[in-house]
Amino acid sequence: MCYNSSMILSVTFSKPVKNIEQILGRDYTKIKIRRSVSSSLMNRNNYAAELYTKTQVFHKNFTREELDAFITQHAGTTFKNTVERTETEEITLLANKKGKTSRIVKKLSAPESVKLTGGQKSKNYLLREGEPVPFLVLLGIMNDQGKVLASRHDKFRQINRFLELLDDIIPSVTKNTDGPLNIVDFGSGKSYLTFAVQYFMENVRKIPCNVFGLDLKKDVIEYCSSVAEKLNLKNISFAVGDISSFGENKKPDIIITLHACDTATDYALDYAVKHNAGAILSVPCCQHEINSQLNKNSLPKESAFRPLLKYGIIKERLSALITDTVRAELLEAAGYSVQVLEFIDEANTPKNLMLRAVKNPSASAKPYESRLLKELGVSQTLQNL
């Protein structure tokens, strides 16, 4: 792949060779590298990489020089498919089984290229700034000309990041589904993501869908219903309800649960598993359950965990990690392929871990008992449901 002086915005590596673990140290399935939004001339580590295995995502920073070297070494060799995007071009490098490579260059039109915003180049989002999106305008994120309001850029980035993570798993869901996709958002709140998913599926990916949002707050649900009515959306609906007691069978293809507090996440995951959802995107919040049970004095003196329970903030973070680890393993036991991803920069929200699970139709459920919970002497709701 040839390079010029244009700024590289992103590079995606896919279709790895079989012995990739020997080359890169892990069995990566895909690598995505993007120019950091916060990068500057003073920050040499200005490219952020997400390195995906089947079950995990690892993160790494690259300088421009390191990125160029990585592309030169691995594009068309370690990975058979590489797509590089610059400010003006999309360059695809394809390698066949015999090692012969072909290079395809596509010129980007003005809307697809980056735009200058306050002296910085903005990211090429799935929902683009400068193109008015009705729900974003009505919810006060964009103005009528499609410009994102300065105070709403974090929310705009969050929405686009979520859609990126959703977009990756859509092919896995649609290949096992006939008809419109049924998407359920538990704890939908003000429904920024609910409306984003409906718009993205219908208007960007052209995939018919029915979207349903559930939340405890009546005033919030009334507001969201009024927004849907103003937008004349016939395939999105909302209801007041508690996730833990929700009994309707929505036949979900995709379950979304963003910041459902504490054990509400467990009830949402349990609903997804019991209703055979094709995919789950969950960003947990406020994992109090295990934190309230952990007590260093109840552990044996020789336990290696005792020092971790000595300091409140470490105990709190440990509890959250234990909770999400158990949730991920329970989903795997239920026949899902699970990844734990960084949802959004920690600077924007500390609640930044996402459990993304895709149902494996050929996998059968297996019994699971957490040794970790047993050694700590605690219980966890999802395991008990």
Side-chain angles (χ1 to χ4, degrees):
M1 189 176 283
C2 298
Y3 309 103
N4 52 41
S5 58
S6 296
M7 175 62 68
I8 296 176
L9 302 180
S10 68
V11 187
T12 301
F13 300 86
S14 58
K15 295 187 178 179
V17 295
K18 291 183 178 179
N19 64 333
I20 187 172
E21 188 171 5
Q22 299 174 18
I23 300 171
L24 292 178
R26 286 193 174 92
D27 191 14
Y28 295 121
T29 58
K30 182 188 293 187
I31 295 177
K32 293 182 177 181
I33 304 175
R34 296 184 177 90
R35 183 170 183 262
S36 173
V37 174
S38 61
S39 64
S40 66
L41 294 176
M42 298 300 291
N43 180 10
R44 286 174 51 80
N45 289 324
N46 54 3
Y47 286 89
E50 296 175 327
L51 302 93
Y52 294 80
T53 67
K54 290 183 178 179
T55 59
Q56 291 178 286
V57 177
F58 299 88
H59 297 85
K60 183 178 179 180
N61 291 325
F62 285 86
T63 64
R64 172 59 190 265
E65 293 78 13
E66 290 169 341
L67 176 58
D68 285 347
F70 190 88
I71 295 172
T72 300
Q73 184 176 359
H74 299 293
T77 52
T78 309
F79 294 89
K80 301 298 183 183
N81 191 343
T82 304
V83 179
E84 174 189 323
R85 290 181 177 85
T86 72
E87 298 161 296
T88 57
E89 296 178 326
E90 179 181 277
I91 306 164
T92 303
L93 190 70
L94 301 171
N96 62 23
K97 293 181 180 180
K98 296 181 180 180
K100 183 179 179 180
T101 59
S102 57
R103 185 173 182 268
I104 304 168
V105 179
K106 174 186 174 183
K107 296 293 183 181
L108 297 180
S109 60
E112 292 176 299
S113 302
V114 293
K115 301 176 177 67
L116 288 173
T117 307
Q120 294 229 351
K121 296 179 178 66
S122 63
K123 182 178 175 180
N124 188 22
Y125 291 113
L126 291 174
L127 302 183
R128 298 170 185 156
E129 185 167 7
E131 299 178 11
V133 176
F135 84 90
L136 291 177
V137 174
L138 192 55
L139 294 175
I141 295 175
M142 280 183 171
N143 63 19
D144 291 338
Q145 288 73 47
K147 179 177 174 58
V148 177
L149 305 183
S151 62
R152 308 297 282 165
H153 266 287
D154 283 350
K155 179 60 69 175
F156 181 69
R157 284 195 292 269
Q158 183 193 65
I159 289 170
N160 274 283
R161 173 60 175 158
F162 184 86
L163 292 178
E164 289 176 1
L165 293 166
L166 171 67
D167 195 32
D168 281 347
I169 56 93
I170 287 175
S172 299
V173 178
T174 54
K175 72 179 181 182
N176 298 311
T177 304
D178 295 322
L181 289 182
N182 293 318
I183 302 170
V184 177
D185 186 354
F186 281 130
S188 53
K190 292 186 177 179
S191 298
Y192 294 102
L193 293 184
T194 325
F195 286 109
V197 168
Q198 187 278 337
Y199 179 87
F200 180 72
M201 299 295 287
E202 291 277 352
N203 297 279
V204 180
R205 288 293 173 251
K206 309 298 182 183
I207 299 174
C209 66
N210 294 306
V211 182
F212 171 76
L214 183 79
D215 199 270
L216 281 170
K217 298 178 181 177
K218 182 179 179 181
D219 58 335
V220 170
I221 291 300
E222 290 176 346
Y223 169 75
C224 295
S225 297
S226 69
V227 171
E229 186 176 350
K230 290 176 183 176
L231 293 170
N232 196 29
L233 301 177
K234 305 300 183 185
N235 63 339
I236 187 168
S237 61
F238 299 90
V240 177
D242 190 334
I243 301 170
S244 64
S245 58
F246 185 72
E248 293 183 36
N249 183 5
K250 291 292 182 179
K251 298 181 180 178
D253 296 299
I254 299 174
I255 293 283
I256 297 167
T257 168
L258 183 72
H259 297 160
C261 190
D262 201 15
T263 57
T265 294
D266 297 305
Y267 287 103
L269 297 179
D270 182 61
Y271 182 94
V273 170
K274 289 179 178 176
H275 290 81
N276 203 34
I280 305 164
L281 290 92
S282 175
V283 180
C285 174
C286 307
Q287 296 97 323
H288 299 307
E289 183 181 30
I290 287 180
N291 189 33
S292 65
Q293 299 175 62
L294 283 176
N295 186 340
K296 67 181 179 68
N297 294 323
S298 64
L299 295 176
K301 290 185 178 180
E302 65 275 11
S303 173
F305 289 105
R306 285 178 66 91
L308 296 172
L309 309 184
K310 183 177 180 181
Y311 306 100
I313 190 169
I314 293 176
K315 178 188 171 191
E316 180 181 354
R317 292 181 182 179
L318 174 68
S319 300
L321 291 172
I322 292 170
T323 302
D324 290 336
T325 298
V326 172
R327 286 167 172 163
E329 290 191 328
L330 282 164
L331 290 174
E332 287 178 347
Y336 286 83
S337 297
V338 182
Q339 293 174 307
V340 181
L341 312 169
E342 185 178 66
F343 169 45
I344 199 72
D345 289 343
E346 196 166 325
N348 293 322
T349 172
K351 304 159 189 174
N352 68 335
L353 289 186
M354 171 183 282
L355 303 180
R356 187 173 69 178
V358 177
K359 183 71 174 180
N360 182 352
S362 62
S364 56
K366 301 176 182 178
Y368 171 78
E369 183 177 354
S370 173
R371 180 181 173 185
L372 181 59
L373 295 181
K374 187 174 182 180
E375 289 191 7
L376 289 170
V378 297
S379 63
Q380 203 279 325
T381 293
L382 184 59
Q383 181 167 292
N384 297 328
L385 290 175

